[in-house]
Every structure is written in C-alpha cells, then in structure tokens.
Amino acid sequence: MKAVIVKPGEKDSVHLEDVPRPTLSSSNALLKIKRVGIDGTDIEINSGSYGECPTGSDYLILGHECLAVVEDIEGSSSIQKGDLVVPTVRRPDDCPNCMNGEPDMCLKGEYKEHGIRGLHGFASEFGVTDPNFLIKIPQDLENIGVLLEPVSVAEKGIYHTFKIQERLKWTPRKALVLGSGPLGLLTTFLLRLKGLEVSTVARGARGSLKSQLVERAGAEYVSTAEKPLNTLGKFDIIMEVTGVSSVAVDAQQLLNANGVMCFLGVYPPNTLSLDVGKAYTDLVLGNRTYFGSVNANKRDFEIGVSDIRQIEKNFPAVLRDMITKTVPLSEYKAAFYPDKGDIKILLDLSAGEKETKVTPLEDSI
Amino acid sequence: MKAVIVKPGEKDSVHLEDVPRPTLSSSNALLKIKRVGIDGTDIEINSGSYGECPTGSDYLILGHECLAVVEDIEGSSSIQKGDLVVPTVRRPDDCPNCMNGEPDMCLKGEYKEHGIRGLHGFASEFGVTDPNFLIKIPQDLENIGVLLEPVSVAEKGIYHTFKIQERLKWTPRKALVLGSGPLGLLTTFLLRLKGLEVSTVARGARGSLKSQLVERAGAEYVSTAEKPLNTLGKFDIIMEVTGVSSVAVDAQQLLNANGVMCFLGVYPPNTLSLDVGKAYTDLVLGNRTYFGSVNANKRDFEIGVSDIRQIEKNFPAVLRDMITKTVPLSEYKAAFYPDKGDIKILLDLSAGEKETKVTPLEDSI
C-alpha cells in the first residue's frame, strides 16, 4: 500500500512509498484510513529533529491526526467493524499513570506514539492500532472528525486549567490565546464555548481567514503588528500556543492575580537576559500559576467529540473552514510545504487520486 | 503603652516608643498580647523597603505573628473574653475573593495587613483587630501557638500544591524544601506529617540546630556546601522558601514529570541569562506546574492548629526548639539583628522586664 514515510533523523526525507499492508491481530484493529491531518510535529519530524521507527522497521509512517473506518476487528464489544473512529496518539508504558489511563501524564517516558515514536502513523491506506484507544465518531461529524486529535490537545490544556483553579474561588472572565494556528484557533473556539471573553493574538494583519474565524467564534483577533501585547490589559487565563519563548515571556506580564498560564508549545532553545527575581515575585504576590501540558488522553478526546458538535452549533462551519486544503496522498507535499494562508491541510485517503480541493476564502465567510 | 514601631520607608527606624493604648469597639476586639514572632518581613520593613502606616498615624506598630488573650470583646459568640487567640494578618477589601473569605487571594490589591500595611501590628502591650479573624488556640499549645502564622503560610502552599495536583492521578513520594529558616523548617515538618520523603536543603553545614530539627522530623538535611543540588535526583514536590532566584532556577531541573513547584519567597531583582526555550519545553513535555503563594486565610490557620498538635506528637519539641530566643520588649533589638545560629526569635510581652531566655543547643537535641 502507499504510505507517506520518513527516515527519522534525516532532514527532508518525507516521501511516498509502497510498504506492506498491516494485518489484523488480537491486539490490533485494522483501520481503513479516510483522512489524515498534518501538523507542526509532522513537519518537525521531517526536519530531522525527532521521530523514531517502530522496532524492526527502518522507516516511520507519518500521521497522528487520523479519521478512519474499522475495516476489521477481533472480539471487541464497544468498537465494531464499520465504525467511524479516531485513534488516540500515545500508547502506555508500565508507569502508574500510563497503567491508570493517563499515558499523557507518563512518568517513565517509555510511551510510544503513532506516527511519532515507535509506532507507525496513519498516512497510508491502512493502519493498525490497539482498539482500546479508538474513539467512536458520530457519522454527522465525518467531515470534521479528523480535527479531534488537535482538539484533544486543547481540551487537555483547558481541563487542567480549570482543575488547577479549583484551588480557589474563581470566576474567570477574560482569556488570551497566543497564536492563531490550528491549535490556537481550536483553543479559541473551546474557550468561547465556556462563555469567556477571548482575545486571540497573532502577527498577521486582520482580515485574514484566521482573523475571520476568530471573529466568527465571537472572539477578538489582535494583530501584534497593529496593537502591542502590553496594551491588552490583564487576563485570567493565558493559553500559549505560539512556541515562541520571547512572546511567552512578554505575555506573562498580562496574567491577572490568581491567573493561570498554560503552555502548549514546544520551544526552540532561546537564551534571554531576564529579571528572574521580578518574575518569581510576580508569581508569588499574585498567587499565579504556570503549567505545561502535552498530548491528551481518552477523556480529552471524548470531551472533544461533544465540543466539536457544540462548536458546529454555536459557530457554524468554523471547523470546516479551518481546513484550507484537502489533497490526495500523491500530493502530500502540499501539506509539508504549506502556503502562507494555509491553516489545516488534510490528506484524503478515501478518494483515490482526485483533484486538490481548496476551500476559497470567499466560501468560508 | 510600649510598642515596637517603625517609620515606613525609613531605613533602621525601628525603636521602642510609648504610644496610645488602643480601645475596644464594636468592630474590634481588644487583645492583651502575650508573644510576637519577628520574621524576614519585619526586618525588610525596617530596611525601608515597604510598610504602610494606618490612616491617621505617622508610625506603624510592627508584629504580625502574634499570640494574645482576648482582654475584652463586644457581643461575639464564638470568641470570648479570656480566650487564647492568634489573629490572621490580612484584612479584606471589597473584591470577590476577599468578600468570600479568601483575602489571601485578593484580586484588587487594596487589602490591609496587621503590622505591615495600613493596620498596626501586635508588638505592643495591647492590640485591636476584627474578631472575625481570630483563631482560637487550645491552652496546651500556649508555648508554641505564636508559630501559627508562619505555619499558616506553609499550610496554604501545601494545600494549593495538593489541590492543583487533583488535575491528575498522583501519588507523590519525594519532596524538596529549599531553605531551612523558620518557614523552611515548618514546611519540612508539615510535609513529613503527610508521610513524604523530605530533603531540606540549605547552605549551612550539617550539625547545626537547623539540621538537627530537620532530622528529628525524619527528613534529610542537605548542605549545598557538601552536596551540589544537581546530585539530589528528582522530586515530585519542590517548595522554594529561600527567596534566592538563582537557587530556584537551578532547582527547577530537579522537578519530576507531573511535579509541582511552589514559590513562597519574595525575590530581589536578579537579571540572569537563561535558556527560556528549554525551560518552557521542560514545563510542557513533563506536564509540570510552577505556582506562587502568599499569605494565608482562616482555613490555613485552622488546619495549622491541628497540624501543630500533630507535629508535637510525631516530632516532640521541634517547634519549641525552633524558638532560639525569647526576649522582653525592651530587648527587641535582639530580634531585628539576630545572631548567626538564631532561627525564630520571640518578643515576650506577658513577662514584663525579665531576662533573655536562650534555648541552648544542647537542650534542643
């Protein structure tokens, strides 16, 4: 079968290749892949900075954002042949958190991740995974269900934000989202579902599709080219999704007393000169919290399914319109070398060799 | 009456003075002060760095760590004349948290604090305070009850630590306490009550009274002169009580995945060159949390009363032995200019002009 593969550690090694079709087993359901989303992690793996082959393989099939149909399954009850599903990404090691259903909170670091670390991903015609980690997707969400994996990452950050704040009496009003890529947009939509006043900040000028999507969800889009960060006032919640550490440092000044700042990015090394004394004193005198969140578990995927439906209802078609390109497997390069205006690019594996579908900006308003 | 006062903002202005005795009112109980503890905040106020007079006064009576007897009170039910009490420190403004019993989580910043900001303290023969903020102390804790205020600060940090961690399945095993001053010791004792393996780190060599108290509570005392911080392994909880930002930066490397680091100090400005990208990535990939905690509310004082009794039971006399000097009001200078081996110095207001009582090191073992 055709698959988008890399040689982990080799820069720009991504290519299409014929690889053996995986087979059903008692521990693995066989999935027929419908769509795969490509994100920053895939692009970083292709830059050679990480990624790990499965044992016994000298390549890694990419693709951890996946929507699929169960092609075949042995003896499971809740998931059946023909179900529309999204697989979670991380598979547990034997640490207490992993064994307790929280592989996203792994203590040992020996977890595996489909399409990233030690397990093939789903950018191929077929894939296999442990059926205990399949999330059922209702048929009416078929066109946007592939967004569930990035939604789950935002869900986890928000879940932890609110759990952490149970330490006090807290009624948040204003939230700041730093970044308007796919994860920034999804975080914006989810915080809007909670009724918060949301400001979403990015470098790009207003008027872009990103800014329109932010505004269609009832949030404010702020271009830092037009309005400096330090004029925005104070926020009860800050979600940092840019992965740019200098932005995060500046944004810390905007956190209200008792506020919480959630970091969802991965940050390249960046040595800065900082008044650490002031930063710690601000943390203490304002009872502030900073925390990091990575990956997600089944709970976050399950909350995500119902929130995707709610986003559709409250802010019609914002999720569909985030998908700026859907290309067949043969055109996978469009996803790895995106155009400037692209938000989310999908590989469509169900359609065979059909034409690239581009959602024009006009349609999405 | 005699009182230890400062002129806020003036360096080394602390002195003993005759000031008017405060009077009972419907909003204020009259307290006869028994003992007052002096801490770093008092010493910083005397350095001129902060402190604020009550409205209409041109001086500030110091003393926010206090044990007193209710001399007179109007129409309250739970607190009565003759009760042994400790007043909490902070008094609310009209922000939602203050109005809801959490003035320590003030959102507005217009709170007042006895002996620190806008209200006289208790380093005087008599004092007055709102009876709603008095904590009853059982008679058998009379000799150590004055430690309740610093205990409450540690209790709040620990309470928030455990509340924050309800975000996941978490069974902490190892805790690190940075600093072995009074707050570091109290934090050590409280974490030991929770059954954690505690390492308490300070600069001083082993063998000192501080190290003996740590060990009597079943914790490990680590002198950084003998054992560098980076050899200590990983910890699920880090409590930073040194107020030294370079120590805090180094200690962040010791936080286990899913761990939580609580900052309880106030940190002088200190500009350092730091790889902020790496620090944020560590936060994210390990699902780590940093938070600050200041002051305490009635809940923390109330938990503190029962924990003081439990500390007495489990680690006999460690609290008494933290008190290295008890001096009459006239010898207040001993508390503001402590000797090297001092831990907690008390002003004794009940005894009149008696001799300085020094707990010799031999007695405390």
Side-chain angles (χ1 to χ4, degrees):
Chain A
M1 65 173 186
K2 295 272 185 237
V4 176
I5 69 164
V6 291
K7 301 271 173 189
E10 260 181 48
K11 193 170 154 57
D12 286 327
S13 66
V14 66
H15 64 284
L16 204 60
E17 194 153 307
D18 266 310
V19 300
R21 180 174 153 166
T23 51
L24 177 72
S25 70
S26 59
S27 57
N28 270 331
L30 180 66
L31 306 180
K32 178 153 180 31
I33 313 303
K34 289 179 79 75
R35 274 184 284 282
V36 164
I38 298 298
D39 75 357
T41 299
D42 299 297
I43 290 172
E44 281 165 39
I45 293 173
N46 186 43
S47 79
S49 59
Y50 51 94
E52 194 182 309
C53 296
T55 308
S57 177
D58 62 351
Y59 62 90
L60 174 70
I61 302 177
L62 285 178
H64 58 278
E65 301 181 3
C66 166
L67 180 76
V69 172
V70 178
E71 176 83 3
D72 209 353
I73 188 166
E74 282 185 7
S76 174
S77 55
S78 68
I79 300 285
Q80 302 191 334
K81 199 169 157 172
D83 281 347
L84 193 63
V85 293
V86 166
T88 69
V89 178
R90 194 178 281 190
R91 296 295 171 268
D93 61 28
D94 60 358
C95 85
N97 286 74
C98 281
M99 299 304 281
N100 271 315
E102 291 189 331
D104 58 316
M105 304 300 286
C106 179
L107 279 166
K108 199 168 170 181
E110 295 179 4
Y111 56 81
K112 296 181 175 184
E113 289 178 330
H114 276 292
I116 301 172
R117 188 182 183 197
L119 290 172
H120 284 309
F122 304 103
S124 52
E125 293 168 72
F126 293 91
V128 287
T129 192
D130 182 339
N132 294 310
F133 293 90
L134 289 174
I135 310 294
K136 245 190 195 168
I137 306 297
Q139 281 297 334
D140 64 312
L141 300 182
E142 191 274 344
N143 66 330
I144 47 178
V146 67
L147 295 174
L148 181 56
E149 194 280 334
V151 164
S152 75
V153 172
E155 291 283 10
K156 177 184 169 185
I158 294 169
Y159 174 85
H160 278 235
T161 295
F162 280 82
K163 283 300 285 181
I164 283 172
Q165 292 297 83
E166 289 178 10
R167 68 194 171 109
L168 79 153
K169 289 165 187 143
W170 190 59
T171 313
R173 198 169 59 85
K174 289 181 70 185
L176 179 67
V177 177
L178 300 164
S180 67
L183 192 52
L185 291 174
L186 295 172
T187 303
T188 299
F189 303 156
L190 292 174
L191 291 172
R192 283 293 302 138
L193 284 190
K194 290 192 174 285
L196 292 161
E197 290 176 34
V198 181
S199 298
T200 301
V201 169
R203 275 173 301 196
R206 278 178 301 166
S208 66
L209 175 57
K210 287 176 179 179
S211 81
Q212 290 166 19
L213 291 171
V214 165
E215 286 163 6
R216 281 165 58 189
E220 176 194 29
Y221 179 88
V222 178
S223 165
T224 49
E226 297 165 11
K227 212 171 174 180
L229 215 49
N230 63 10
T231 63
L232 301 183
K234 296 277 188 185
F235 297 86
D236 305 309
I237 297 173
I238 300 180
M239 306 292 291
E240 160 39 46
V241 196
T242 63
V244 180
S245 44
S246 59
V247 170
V249 166
D250 290 346
Q252 285 177 196
Q253 307 296 320
L254 309 185
L255 192 60
N256 208 353
N258 303 344
V260 56
M261 182 160 174
C262 169
F263 291 77
L264 290 172
V266 172
Y267 301 79
N270 184 15
T271 298
L272 297 174
S273 187
L274 270 189
D275 185 346
V276 183
K278 182 182 181 308
Y280 289 149
T281 300
D282 285 349
L283 201 65
V284 171
L285 297 184
N287 293 294
R288 293 177 175 89
T289 298
Y290 305 150
F291 78 101
S293 173
V294 67
N295 199 261
N297 65 34
K298 280 182 84 173
R299 174 200 63 222
D300 308 303
F301 280 78
E302 283 159 2
I303 300 171
V305 173
S306 72
D307 279 347
I308 282 179
R309 173 165 283 128
Q310 200 60 43
I311 291 170
E312 272 294 279
K313 192 174 164 214
N314 293 16
F315 321 121
V318 290
L319 293 173
R320 184 202 66 189
D321 293 345
M322 275 179 59
I323 301 167
T324 48
K325 279 188 193 129
T326 302
V327 301
L329 205 55
S330 61
E331 292 174 35
Y332 72 91
K333 282 198 175 170
F336 284 86
Y337 305 95
D339 295 324
K340 199 173 176 308
D342 276 323
I343 302 177
K344 175 57 73 183
I345 301 178
L346 301 183
L347 308 182
D348 187 343
L349 292 113
S350 63
E353 298 297 306
K354 68 175 187 185
E355 270 180 86
T356 304
K357 177 193 158 255
V358 180
T359 309
L361 192 56
E362 290 70 31
D363 276 11
S364 67
I365 299 167
Chain B
M1 65 173 186
K2 294 273 187 236
V4 176
I5 69 164
V6 290
K7 301 273 175 188
E10 261 180 46
K11 193 171 154 60
D12 286 326
S13 68
V14 65
H15 64 284
L16 203 60
E17 192 152 307
D18 265 310
V19 299
R21 178 174 154 165
T23 51
L24 178 72
S25 70
S26 59
S27 57
N28 270 331
L30 181 65
L31 306 180
K32 179 151 178 35
I33 313 302
K34 288 180 79 76
R35 275 183 284 283
V36 164
I38 298 298
D39 75 358
T41 300
D42 299 296
I43 290 172
E44 282 166 36
I45 294 173
N46 186 43
S47 79
S49 58
Y50 51 94
E52 193 182 310
C53 296
T55 309
S57 177
D58 63 352
Y59 61 90
L60 174 70
I61 302 177
L62 285 178
H64 58 279
E65 300 181 2
C66 166
L67 180 77
V69 171
V70 178
E71 175 82 3
D72 209 352
I73 187 165
E74 283 185 5
S76 174
S77 55
S78 68
I79 300 285
Q80 302 191 335
K81 199 170 155 170
D83 281 347
L84 193 63
V85 292
V86 166
T88 70
V89 178
R90 195 177 280 190
R91 296 295 170 268
D93 60 27
D94 60 358
C95 86
N97 287 73
C98 280
M99 299 303 281
N100 271 316
E102 292 189 332
D104 58 315
M105 303 302 287
C106 181
L107 279 167
K108 201 169 170 180
E110 295 180 4
Y111 57 81
K112 295 181 176 183
E113 290 179 328
H114 278 291
I116 301 172
R117 187 182 184 198
L119 290 171
H120 284 309
F122 304 105
S124 53
E125 293 168 71
F126 294 90
V128 287
T129 192
D130 182 340
N132 294 308
F133 294 91
L134 290 174
I135 309 294
K136 247 191 195 168
I137 306 297
Q139 281 297 334
D140 64 310
L141 299 182
E142 192 274 344
N143 66 329
I144 47 177
V146 67
L147 295 174
L148 181 56
E149 194 280 333
V151 164
S152 75
V153 172
E155 290 283 11
K156 177 184 169 184
I158 294 170
Y159 175 85
H160 278 234
T161 295
F162 280 82
K163 282 300 284 183
I164 282 173
Q165 293 297 83
E166 289 178 11
R167 69 194 170 107
L168 78 152
K169 290 167 187 141
W170 188 59
T171 312
R173 198 170 60 85
K174 289 182 69 186
L176 179 68
V177 177
L178 300 164
S180 66
L183 191 53
L185 291 174
L186 295 172
T187 302
T188 300
F189 304 156
L190 293 173
L191 290 173
R192 284 292 303 138
L193 284 190
K194 291 191 174 284
L196 293 161
E197 289 174 35
V198 181
S199 298
T200 300
V201 168
R203 274 174 302 196
R206 278 178 301 167
S208 67
L209 176 57
K210 286 175 179 179
S211 80
Q212 291 166 18
L213 291 171
V214 165
E215 286 163 6
R216 281 164 59 189
E220 174 194 31
Y221 180 88
V222 178
S223 166
T224 49
E226 297 166 10
K227 211 170 174 182
L229 216 47
N230 63 11
T231 63
L232 301 183
K234 296 279 188 185
F235 297 87
D236 305 309
I237 297 173
I238 300 180
M239 307 291 292
E240 159 39 48
V241 195
T242 63
V244 180
S245 44
S246 59
V247 170
V249 166
D250 290 345
Q252 285 177 197
Q253 307 297 320
L254 309 186
L255 192 59
N256 208 352
N258 304 344
V260 57
M261 181 160 174
C262 169
F263 291 77
L264 290 172
V266 172
Y267 300 80
N270 184 15
T271 297
L272 297 174
S273 187
L274 270 189
D275 186 346
V276 183
K278 181 182 182 308
Y280 290 150
T281 299
D282 285 348
L283 201 65
V284 171
L285 297 185
N287 292 294
R288 293 178 175 87
T289 298
Y290 305 149
F291 78 101
S293 173
V294 67
N295 200 261
N297 66 34
K298 281 182 83 172
R299 173 199 64 221
D300 307 303
F301 280 78
E302 283 159 2
I303 299 172
V305 174
S306 72
D307 278 348
I308 283 180
R309 172 164 286 129
Q310 200 60 44
I311 291 170
E312 272 294 278
K313 194 176 161 210
N314 293 14
F315 321 121
V318 291
L319 293 173
R320 183 201 69 188
D321 292 344
M322 277 179 59
I323 301 167
T324 47
K325 280 188 193 128
T326 302
V327 301
L329 205 55
S330 60
E331 292 175 35
Y332 71 92
K333 282 197 175 170
F336 283 86
Y337 305 95
D339 295 324
K340 199 173 175 309
D342 276 322
I343 302 177
K344 175 56 74 182
I345 301 178
L346 301 183
L347 307 182
D348 186 344
L349 293 112
S350 63
E353 298 296 307
K354 67 174 187 185
E355 272 180 83
T356 304
K357 176 191 159 254
V358 179
T359 308
L361 191 56
E362 291 69 30
D363 276 11
S364 67
I365 299 166

